[in-house]
């Protein structure tokens, strides 16, 4: 059934059902915490008692969501850290890096072997060490290499993946040679089928051959897995079907692939050892960063004064790692996590505590984004929330001022303010008992999804993100802008609609059901079709040539991966991480090292 979607300005027509893995992280669910340098002595004295008193007065009519508590406690504050172990690991990484670089240079004489090596480096999570070398080699190959000539399905599928993974729009017509006279895919070996299935995750609009390949390989792999007596093969297939590597978080995928690569009899021991040491070394860096953030959060101590908010410092930091895990982005992860925690405070204030009258005052103050507006706020807890948000953004600006990047914080403030206005409009719907049409809803809800403010926050930590990059990503006519905001909004709506409706909120599902006269299940399927169409548009918009550097485009793709991860199985992983595999991801990515 074709689904017509007019919300992106252009009509998206989807002729195939939604088939991608389920959603992840909600942009608006990025919720943030307060700044360590804030002085709250006077504010907190009045905020806490007022908050407690208001929470007991039913006549105020507060939403009062009951969020689950933080599940991590002081875990990251008590993790052992041994500097000698860290330094030893770092030395191993540097030594093995030199050996692997030699392998990469030597393999350049054999383009196919070189492409296989690049593919393995990407899957193992160590390609970030060789970005310049890989970029030079791929640019040359894309202009000269004939991937069709005399190669099997596995090789062609790998080459296709490597090119598409790095943004090169190599043609999917290379797979036509593997069809029979009737236009059906021919049987192949297991390795070829798995690689073809993984290649289908890079499909864009109009690639019917990859849609056919996805249907074919999914059926074949399910059949193989159900009959295989090889438990390792079955496990790999099940993982490939559930979590194709293109949509998995980079650190999660690296750990998973290291696990499978170690079982591969044809593995290269140097690559395996390098990947393990590199993963553990970066994990130790991340643990120390998170420990620093815990100290910041405890110093701010907003959690005890604003108890209605979701306490999700670890989950917010996990998203920072999801955007950019590389060591050189340590400052970016610190700034982003703090800003996202502020986002959580604000989101939960609008959705889960403040009265509409209070929100009117808060919205006016947020439009000004200036400390002089604080006196207009009617409640002590609002003054605390407002000052904390201002202080965090001031701190971030101080961090980047010497680099001449204050403009980046200005963009964040602007996008933050526009999203708050969307929050206020949604609060007005509830206050006035107004149910908008679907078209009216999605126009506002795409802004409240927070895609723009999230990307603006992420780019602050990237020195190569100039004003051109910001202007490009916040351009409402940009295909990337439209796609990420629509996908984020619908992922969130699918995962949260029933819970939010019980709390009295206006949801996209109810607006869609009313406008089109359909049941909830039909609305959900329509949303999934729209998400699929938006994802295809996004992937196409991220192919070269792009007006912004590839490193920035990669963060946009990581945004999509985070949405898929945090909304997997239609569950809101931010709000209830204990019921999702977010808890497992934290353990794998941030707590437990890989045995060497």
């Amino acid at each position: 059934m074709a689904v017509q979607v007019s919300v992106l300005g252009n009509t998206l027509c989807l002729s195939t059902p939604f088939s991608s893995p389920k959603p992840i992280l909600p942009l608006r669910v990025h919720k943030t915490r307060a700044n360590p340098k804030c002085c709250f002595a006077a504010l907190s004295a009045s905020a806490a008692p007022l908050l407690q008193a208001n929470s007991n007065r039913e006549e105020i009519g507060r939403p009062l969501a009951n969020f689950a508590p933080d599940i991590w406690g002081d875990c990251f504050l008590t993790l052992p850290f041994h500097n000698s172990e860290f330094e030893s690991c770092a030395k191993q990484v540097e030594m093995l890096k030199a050996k692997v670089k030699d392998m990469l240079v030597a393999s350049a004489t054999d383009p196919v072997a070189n492409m296989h090596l690049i593919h393995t480096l990407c899957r193992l999570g160590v390609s970030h060490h060789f970005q310049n070398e890989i970029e030079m080699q791929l640019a040359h190959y894309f202009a000269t290499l004939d991937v069709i000539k005399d190669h099997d399905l596995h090789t062609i599928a790998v080459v296709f993946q490597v090119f598409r993974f790095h943004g090169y729009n190599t043609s999917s017509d290379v797979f036509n040679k593997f069809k029979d006279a009737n236009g059906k895919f021919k049987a192949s070996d297991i390795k070829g089928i798995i690689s073809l299935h993984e290649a289908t995750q890079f499909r864009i609009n109009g690639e019917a051959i990859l849609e056919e390949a996805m249907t074919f390989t999914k059926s074949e792999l399910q059949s193989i897995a159900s009959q295989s007596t090889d438990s390792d093969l079955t496990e790999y297939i099940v993982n490939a079907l559930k979590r194709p590597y293109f949509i998995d978080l980079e650190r999660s995928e690296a750990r998973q692939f290291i696990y499978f690569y170690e079982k591969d009899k044809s593995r290269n021991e140097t690559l395996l050892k390098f990947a393990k040491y590199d993963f553990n070394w970066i994990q130790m860096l991340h643990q120390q960063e998170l420990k620093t953030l815990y100290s910041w959060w405890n110093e701010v101590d907003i959690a005890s004064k604003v108890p209605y908010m979701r306490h999700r410092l670890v989950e917010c930091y996990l998203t920072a790692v999801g955007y950019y895990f590389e060591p050189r982005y340590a400052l970016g992860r610190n700034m982003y996590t703090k800003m996202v925690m502020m986002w959580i405070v604000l989101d939960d204030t609008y959705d889960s505590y403040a009265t509409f009258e209070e929100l009117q005052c808060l919205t006016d103050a947020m439009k000004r984004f200036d400390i002089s507006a604080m006196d207009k706020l009617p409640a002590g807890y609002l003054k605390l929330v407002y000052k904390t948000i201002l202080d965090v953004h001031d701190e971030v600006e101080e961090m980047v001022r010497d680099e001449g990047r204050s403009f980046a914080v200005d963009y964040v403030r602007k996008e933050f303010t526009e999203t708050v206005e969307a929050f206020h409009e949604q609060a007005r719907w509830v206050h006035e008992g107004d149910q908008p049409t679907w078209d009216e809803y999605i126009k506002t809800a795409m802004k409240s999804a927070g895609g723009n403010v999230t990307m603006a926050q992420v780019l602050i930590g990237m020195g190569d993100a100039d004003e051109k990059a910001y202007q490009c990503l916040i351009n409402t006519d940009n295909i990337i802008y439209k796609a990420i905001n629509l996908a984020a909004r619908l992922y969130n709506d699918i995962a949260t609609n029933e819970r939010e409706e019980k709390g009295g909120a206006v949801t996209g599902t109810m607006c869609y059901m009313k406008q089109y006269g359909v049941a909830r299940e039909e609305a959900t399927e329509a949303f999934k079709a729209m998400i699929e169409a938006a994802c295809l548009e996004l992937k196409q918009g991220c192919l070269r040539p792009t007006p912004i550097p590839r490193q920035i485009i990669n963060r946009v793709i990581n945004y999509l991966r985070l949405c898929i991860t945090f909304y997997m199985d239609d569950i809101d992983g931010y709000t209830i991480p204990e019921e999702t595999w977010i808890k497992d991801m934290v353990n794998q990515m941030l707590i437990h090292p890989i045995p060497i």
Side-chain angles (χ1 to χ4, degrees), residues 234-503:
T234 300
E235 187 178 14
Y236 186 90
I237 290 174
V238 170
N239 184 77
L241 290 171
K242 176 69 174 178
R243 296 167 58 184
Y245 83 90
F246 175 75
I247 58 92
D248 201 1
L249 301 187
E250 291 178 285
R251 286 287 84 185
S252 173
E253 157 62 19
R255 174 143 195 167
Q256 191 72 10
F257 190 75
I258 290 170
Y259 168 78
F260 287 119
Y261 189 69
E262 190 166 22
K263 297 172 180 288
D264 187 344
K265 295 179 180 178
S266 64
R267 66 184 179 271
N268 181 292
E269 291 296 339
T270 298
L271 290 181
L272 178 62
K273 191 175 181 181
F274 178 45
K276 286 184 173 184
Y277 274 112
D278 188 62
F279 186 94
N280 290 350
W281 173 62
I282 291 177
Q283 185 186 76
M284 284 188 275
L285 285 173
H286 290 167
Q287 289 171 351
Q288 293 309 297
E289 292 173 10
L290 191 47
K291 191 174 294 187
T292 299
L293 284 165
Y294 257 97
S295 298
W296 164 79
W297 185 240
N298 289 338
E299 184 179 343
V300 171
D301 193 28
I302 196 174
S304 65
K305 301 158 190 168
V306 187
Y308 58 79
M309 70 168 289
R310 286 167 288 183
H311 305 301
R312 301 291 184 265
L313 181 66
V314 174
E315 289 77 14
C316 286
Y317 180 76
L318 182 68
T319 65
V321 172
Y323 281 115
Y324 31 36
F325 70 87
E326 299 92 335
R328 65 182 177 276
Y329 294 120
L331 180 60
R333 286 188 292 273
N334 180 280
M335 294 186 294
Y336 172 79
T337 303
K338 291 176 179 179
M339 288 185 289
V340 166
M341 288 304 296
M342 292 304 97
W343 186 255
I344 286 184
V345 174
L346 194 65
D347 192 15
D348 287 347
T349 299
Y350 273 82
D351 283 357
S352 307
Y353 191 78
T355 66
F356 182 69
E357 291 73 19
E358 290 172 342
L359 291 179
Q360 287 179 302
C361 296
L362 181 58
T363 302
D364 290 341
M366 290 304 307
K367 289 179 182 178
R368 295 175 59 184
F369 226 104
D370 187 272
I371 195 65
S372 63
M374 191 171 72
D375 292 339
K376 302 291 185 181
L377 295 173
Y381 84 94
L382 286 179
K383 296 177 188 291
L384 174 64
V385 167
Y386 185 67
K387 187 175 189 303
T388 304
I389 291 171
L390 296 188
D391 284 349
V392 166
H393 288 81
D394 287 346
E395 180 194 357
V396 169
E397 184 171 16
E398 184 179 334
M399 290 178 178
V400 300
R401 183 179 292 118
D402 290 343
E403 301 173 6
R405 293 181 52 75
S406 293
F407 71 86
V409 185
D410 291 336
Y411 277 103
V412 170
R413 290 188 179 112
K414 177 180 179 294
E415 295 304 321
F416 205 98
T417 299
E418 290 187 4
T419 308
V420 165
E421 290 175 333
F423 281 178
H424 182 261
E425 177 66 4
Q426 291 177 313
R428 184 190 65 77
W429 294 338
V430 175
H431 179 69
E432 297 180 1
D434 178 21
Q435 182 174 331
T437 64
W438 162 252
D439 296 327
E440 292 168 339
Y441 169 83
I442 198 63
K443 182 179 179 180
T444 296
M446 282 178 64
K447 294 180 179 178
S448 68
N452 270 22
V453 69
T454 298
M455 290 311 305
Q457 291 167 337
V458 169
L459 296 189
I460 286 182
M462 302 185 68
D464 46 359
D466 57 14
E467 289 204 60
K468 180 181 178 181
Y470 275 93
Q471 291 167 359
C472 176
L473 289 179
I474 66 173
N475 180 358
T476 55
D477 292 328
N478 188 329
I479 187 175
I480 292 176
Y481 168 91
K482 297 175 181 179
I484 64 173
N485 281 284
L486 180 63
R489 166 46 57 207
L490 296 180
Y491 272 133
N492 178 262
D493 278 358
I494 291 171
T496 66
N497 69 88
E498 293 190 59
R499 172 175 57 81
E500 293 193 349
E501 285 172 22
K502 290 178 181 177

